[in-house]
Amino acid sequence: MGEGMRQAGLGQWIKRIVLALLLLLAMVGLGLWFFLRGSLAQLDGRRSAPGLSGTASVVRDGQGVPTISGSDRKDVAYATGFVHAQDRYFQMDLLRRVASGELAELFGARALPMDREHRLHRFRARAEAALQAMPAADRQLLERYVAGVNDGLNNLGTRPFEYALIRVSPRPWSAADSLLVFWAMYFDLQGNLEGRELARGWLREHATPEQLAVLLPESTQWDVPLDVPANLATDQAASRANHLPTNLPQAAAAAPAPGAPFPDQAPAWWGKSASPEGAASGRVAALDGRDGAQWHGMVGSNNWAVAGSRSQGGGAIVADDMHLGIQLPHIWYRAVLMVPDGHGATRRVAGVTLPGVPLVVVGSNGHVAWGFTNSYGDYADLVTLETDPAHPGKLRTPAGWETPVAHQESILVKDAASETFVVRETSLGPVREVAGRSYALHWVAHARGAVNFVAAGLETASTVDDALAVANRSGLPAQNFVAGDSKGNIGWTIAGPLPRRAQPGLASTFPLAGETQAAGWNGLLSPDAYPAVRNPADGQLSTANSRQLMGAGHGKLGDGGFDLGARAHQVRGAVAALGAKTDEQGVYSVALDDRALFMAGWRDRALAALDDQAVAAGDARGAQRAAARELLRKSWSGHASVESVGYRISRSFMWSLYELLYGGASAEMGKLAGKADMAAASSRWPVVVARLLDEQPAGWLPPQYASWKELQLAAIDHAVAELTRDGKPLAGATWGERNRQEIAHPIASAAPALRRWLTAPADPLPGDSHMPRVAGRKFGQSERMVVSPGKEEQGIFNMPGGQSGHPLSPFFLAGHADWVSGKPTPFLPGAARHTLTFVKP
């Protein structure tokens, strides 16, 4: 009996201990929950705000989209800074640190490689200098925004949750930090230029001029330049003969189409894969996107405008979808700014802002609407520097010998000693060492005037001409700027600084590493000399990162990595197909166009190679080829649809050919820089390969293949091997299986236990790179906007993330499902749900 009582007592103690542990865990969980909730934004109430001219308010709708009002523009800037900080401070912090090379202070030594690379540019020092040169009115606006940011941060109940997870305290915001946000976008939008220069330099050293003329065409038959009239009767289908557009403008047809004649021999590296024969599927896997190279071959963005002559409402309609890396929180922050004009009236400026900057980036002010796409011009040169023992400590530039200025840069490293290194800077830019050579990186981003607040003038622009003039003087990474006004006018120009080249035509040839002649640029082009297109006869304008101009204006831009033009062609054709009159819904439909016009040619080539003889072998390879042929025929909808296996096989076939023909060269280029490969040297490589397969020049068939058909079958075999890796059936290799979104908060990798709350659903996405509906795992349409100025109530908008960067906020993923499905949701916020008011003390 005593033993039983002891057992019963022990059982009671075990129950009590378990209960206590559960209670402790519950208390810890509850404490964590309360701690996390402490960093949620304040949505309602009344706050005292020193420095206000009058009152300001933030009225949010059910998705957290704010309408921000104030007594003057500075009060609006203050309130904008407050909500940016409360919803997105960690994102803002990352942007400034990416630009300045200060990430290691948050993440430790693992961030040092990027910090070293970015610190070379000394953008924090440049930001401080730009701040000193800023006009007084812009500086005052920025200072009020900064005050709002710091008040917003300091008035959270607890520090933003990300800082608790990485055990760091947030650093206050400064005016220079807002300028650094612009420079972060330079890295994002022009960070390809150095790798491209090195890749093209490698090619020039390993190919003859005749071979280069083939490998690096300056245009393709897909191009639809803005300075050549479009045919409103656009043929929507590509020519079945060569899968290139049939409605070529005359000037485009007169250009190399798609390249110069093939010389008798290919370069020595041609057709040498980076992997042994039969083992290239690992690189093909990466190119297919399964091993993390989801952005390979992707550029962005799209915008288009329809003139009033073709809109049902009589005003212009502007559409914009900027293609960027996608994560949580999302890069853009929706807002409506009610801007007093100083004369008793108020302008409603609606669109998206970039946290860290108090301006609307793209949107509408009621009179003018505007949008951006990256222009991909030639805005950087690598200039060879020479040394000589007779000139110790000096470097020779094209202008002569000079002594570079040495700057000591100290990088703070979390949980480790700081690192100091020396940046040497010449009159042309910082010194970059690559493969034993010294170069000056002469980049527009280093120029005085590369960043400014001139774009604030878009808030008060009343006509397209006003907007284009503001765009030309704006300090931001050079963009294709498309605008339309309420009177029906439309126009295009470049927004952002352009280099003034001594020989403008040279920008359209090969701006390669190693150029030492005075062929680069000196200072910035005058805004009065910028190219522009206004009110074309067909009543439409569109850009999609391909070559914009065929005439003399092209030399002012140069080619910094233009897209091959298939997407631009499809956008233009889809807009033309809207007919004589259209509306916002019709214009919006172009953004969801996922027709596989470009990939159809690769499908046809694969089917032609997979003839009866190719599939007749009685072994496993023959069976796989037969299965691939069946799926190319039956699992093909003519779209990059999630259920299509045929689309994915076609795409993998194309990229397998890339590996088999360019893989060895790309591997050598990659030794110079991580972003250097053949795709960086020219995004037009698929057009070159398509032409090669059509013309079949004898000297270009790699010797390991007996025929061009054998080469294509080898590529198909590689593609199939990759798609059936790990024993997966080929029939299950749908495009949706590969193109499944992976959108997460950057802190998710540091907090695996919270990952489920810090990621978006892994939905399969239709669309791909060579069509209007660009979609990748972590890359795609960062917003879809359609608006007619003055008729914003009829506008359409959606984006992949919500307003808040906090996973406990109801606004964290608000609107995400609409973006996935393509649902056309309103451009303007809905009914007011929350009101936060700021008053003078």
Side-chain angles (χ1 to χ4, degrees):
M1 182 176 177
E3 183 64 26
M5 292 180 63
R6 283 195 297 273
Q7 291 291 338
L10 182 60
Q12 290 293 326
W13 276 107
I14 291 175
K15 290 179 180 178
R16 291 172 184 171
I17 291 172
V18 170
L19 184 62
L21 288 173
L22 290 174
L23 183 61
L24 180 61
L25 288 173
M27 291 177 65
V28 169
L30 190 63
L32 178 62
W33 186 78
F34 274 113
F35 175 80
L36 291 175
R37 286 194 60 82
S39 57
L40 284 170
Q42 181 179 352
L43 303 180
D44 297 284
R46 190 176 179 88
R47 299 198 63 89
S48 174
L52 287 183
S53 298
T55 61
S57 65
V58 177
V59 178
R60 301 183 195 243
D61 72 354
Q63 291 195 327
V65 180
T67 298
I68 302 173
S69 305
S71 301
D72 60 22
R73 184 63 182 89
K74 290 182 289 185
D75 287 356
V76 173
Y78 172 89
T80 303
F82 190 95
V83 297
H84 276 174
Q86 292 224 318
D87 279 331
R88 301 285 193 88
Y89 194 77
F90 187 71
Q91 173 194 3
M92 296 165 61
D93 196 5
L94 292 185
L95 285 171
R96 66 176 171 180
R97 289 177 183 274
V98 163
S100 60
E102 297 170 352
L103 288 169
E105 190 176 358
L106 293 182
F107 302 113
R110 62 178 174 167
L112 277 172
M114 179 178 285
D115 277 359
R116 294 186 193 110
E117 183 179 343
H118 288 191
R119 190 66 70 91
L120 179 75
H121 304 277
R122 301 184 62 251
F123 281 138
R124 181 165 290 283
R126 297 181 197 279
E128 295 291 351
L131 200 61
Q132 297 304 313
M134 183 175 282
D138 292 347
R139 180 68 181 266
Q140 292 169 7
L141 176 72
L142 182 54
E143 292 292 356
R144 290 306 297 156
Y145 174 78
V146 170
V149 169
N150 288 322
D151 283 355
L153 174 64
N154 294 331
N155 282 286
L156 289 170
T158 59
R159 60 184 169 173
F161 77 94
E162 297 95 338
Y163 295 97
L165 293 174
I166 61 176
R167 299 176 292 105
V168 173
S169 295
R171 190 174 71 197
W173 197 255
S174 71
D177 291 334
S178 288
L179 301 185
L180 285 169
V181 170
F182 283 89
W183 269 298
M185 297 310 294
Y186 269 99
F187 279 126
D188 202 3
L189 299 171
Q190 296 181 8
N192 68 307
L193 291 173
E194 184 178 351
R196 174 180 167 82
E197 293 278 300
L198 291 168
R200 290 167 76 88
W202 186 93
L203 280 173
R204 194 172 75 168
E205 293 176 350
H206 294 84
T208 67
E210 294 77 16
Q211 292 164 345
L212 285 174
V214 168
L215 295 167
L216 303 176
E218 295 182 21
S219 63
T220 78
Q221 286 146 300
W222 290 100
D223 283 322
V224 282
L226 295 170
D227 55 351
V228 176
N231 180 4
L232 277 178
T234 300
D235 179 1
Q236 295 302 297
S239 164
R240 287 298 170 187
N242 55 12
H243 307 289
L244 294 169
T246 58
N247 62 313
L248 289 177
Q250 183 177 357
F262 285 99
D264 291 339
Q265 295 297 322
W269 50 263
W270 178 256
K272 294 180 180 179
S273 173
S275 306
E277 177 64 23
S281 60
R283 280 179 54 84
V284 175
L287 298 172
D288 180 59
R290 292 179 58 166
D291 290 344
Q294 295 90 350
W295 300 8
H296 204 90
M298 284 195 167
V299 296
S301 314
N302 305 322
N303 61 13
W304 55 98
V306 172
S309 60
R310 290 183 56 197
S311 77
Q312 292 179 2
I317 304 175
V318 175
D320 185 77
D321 57 86
M322 297 176 283
H323 307 158
L324 295 166
I326 298 175
Q327 62 180 18
L328 298 174
H330 189 49
I331 185 170
W332 307 122
Y333 186 89
R334 294 180 66 183
V336 175
L337 307 184
M338 303 300 292
V339 179
D341 65 1
H343 303 288
T346 299
R347 284 235 179 156
R348 180 178 64 184
V349 186
V352 296
T353 64
L354 178 61
V357 179
L359 309 177
V360 169
V361 178
V362 301
S364 176
N365 68 14
H367 298 267
V368 176
W370 66 94
F372 293 122
T373 71
N374 200 15
S375 61
Y376 284 93
D378 177 27
Y379 306 133
D381 294 328
L382 285 175
V383 182
T384 299
L385 302 172
E386 299 176 7
T387 60
D388 189 327
H391 298 84
K394 293 189 175 184
L395 295 170
R396 185 178 180 179
T397 73
W401 292 96
E402 65 176 74
T403 302
V405 179
H407 300 279
Q408 295 280 342
E409 291 290 323
S410 181
I411 301 177
L412 300 179
V413 184
K414 178 187 172 187
D415 299 330
S418 62
E419 178 178 298
T420 302
F421 69 100
V422 176
V423 174
R424 292 186 301 159
E425 191 154 14
T426 71
S427 59
L428 295 175
V431 178
R432 180 89 157 83
E433 304 289 341
V434 182
R437 299 179 181 180
S438 296
Y439 301 97
L441 179 53
H442 197 33
W443 185 15
V444 166
H446 300 148
R448 188 173 300 172
V451 168
N452 62 38
F453 266 43
V454 169
L458 291 172
E459 296 175 352
T460 55
S462 295
T463 66
V464 160
D465 285 342
D466 292 344
L468 267 57
V470 171
N472 295 157
R473 296 181 290 109
S474 295
L476 47 86
Q479 301 289 293
N480 289 308
F481 179 85
V482 167
D485 62 31
S486 57
K487 296 180 180 179
N489 300 297
I490 58 175
W492 164 89
T493 189
I494 294 293
L498 294 177
R500 184 179 67 236
R501 293 188 176 274
Q503 297 173 259
L506 196 66
S508 64
T509 56
F510 300 147
L512 303 175
E515 296 284 18
T516 57
Q517 69 272 28
W521 56 276
N522 180 22
L524 299 179
L525 189 68
S526 169
D528 295 336
Y530 276 43
V533 176
R534 294 175 173 84
N535 293 326
D538 58 357
Q540 66 179 69
L541 285 169
S542 57
T543 74
N545 315 118
S546 58
R547 181 167 175 162
Q548 307 97 325
L549 302 171
M550 291 302 298
H554 172 67
K556 298 177 181 180
L557 308 180
D559 183 349
F562 290 143
D563 192 25
L564 60 82
R567 177 162 47 89
H569 172 77
Q570 194 162 330
V571 168
R572 177 181 279 193
V575 176
L578 295 174
K581 294 290 182 179
T582 189
D583 59 10
E584 288 85 350
Q585 293 287 337
V587 171
Y588 176 73
S589 69
V590 177
L592 303 181
D593 181 3
D594 59 10
R595 290 172 300 150
L597 302 186
F598 174 77
M599 203 54 65
W602 294 98
R603 171 184 178 255
D604 288 353
R605 287 188 176 88
L607 282 171
L610 289 169
D611 58 17
D612 291 343
Q613 181 183 11
V615 303
D619 56 10
R621 176 173 291 186
Q624 290 284 46
R625 289 176 178 177
R629 182 170 72 172
E630 187 74 2
L631 290 164
L632 283 166
R633 288 172 174 172
K634 294 186 176 180
S635 186
W636 172 265
S637 63
H639 295 254
S641 51
V642 296
E643 71 280 358
S644 177
V645 180
Y647 181 85
R648 189 173 178 190
I649 293 174
S650 303
R651 188 183 195 276
S652 296
F653 166 58
M654 183 187 76
W655 279 105
S656 292
L657 282 166
Y658 173 89
E659 166 58 22
L660 295 177
L661 296 174
Y662 297 110
S666 287
E668 292 302 311
M669 296 176 201
K671 295 176 183 178
L672 301 176
K675 295 180 180 180
D677 62 9
M678 189 60 210
S682 176
S683 64
R684 301 180 178 113
W685 69 265
V687 174
V688 175
V689 175
R691 179 173 167 236
L692 182 84
L693 297 177
D694 291 344
E695 297 185 24
Q696 300 187 359
W700 288 70
L701 177 65
Q704 64 270 38
Y705 304 106
S707 67
W708 291 100
K709 177 183 175 182
E710 186 177 311
L711 167 65
Q712 294 177 80
L713 288 175
I716 292 170
D717 291 340
H718 281 309
V720 171
E722 163 53 26
L723 298 179
T724 57
R725 192 171 54 167
D726 303 325
K728 296 179 180 178
L730 186 59
T734 64
W735 179 236
E737 191 266 342
R738 183 269 191 199
N739 209 40
R740 192 175 293 274
Q741 65 180 5
E742 295 178 358
I743 303 175
H745 193 293
I747 212 72
S749 59
L754 299 178
R755 187 170 182 83
R756 60 175 294 192
W757 292 283
L758 294 172
T759 57
D763 294 312
L765 299 174
D768 195 11
S769 53
H770 294 299
M771 57 191 62
R773 190 170 189 169
V774 168
R777 286 181 171 183
K778 300 179 182 180
F779 185 92
Q781 295 170 313
S782 67
E783 43 76 57
R784 302 186 190 108
M785 179 192 80
V786 175
V787 63
S788 181
K791 299 179 177 64
E792 287 78 11
E793 287 76 9
Q794 300 170 24
I796 297 169
F797 186 92
N798 55 52
M799 70 181 190
Q803 292 293 100
S804 174
H806 199 301
L808 295 184
S809 169
F811 312 136
F812 183 57
L813 281 172
H816 173 78
D818 296 331
W819 174 81
V820 171
S821 67
K823 180 181 177 181
T825 50
F827 173 71
L828 292 177
R833 297 286 183 86
H834 306 278
T835 301
L836 178 63
T837 302
F838 302 92
V839 297
K840 296 169 65 174

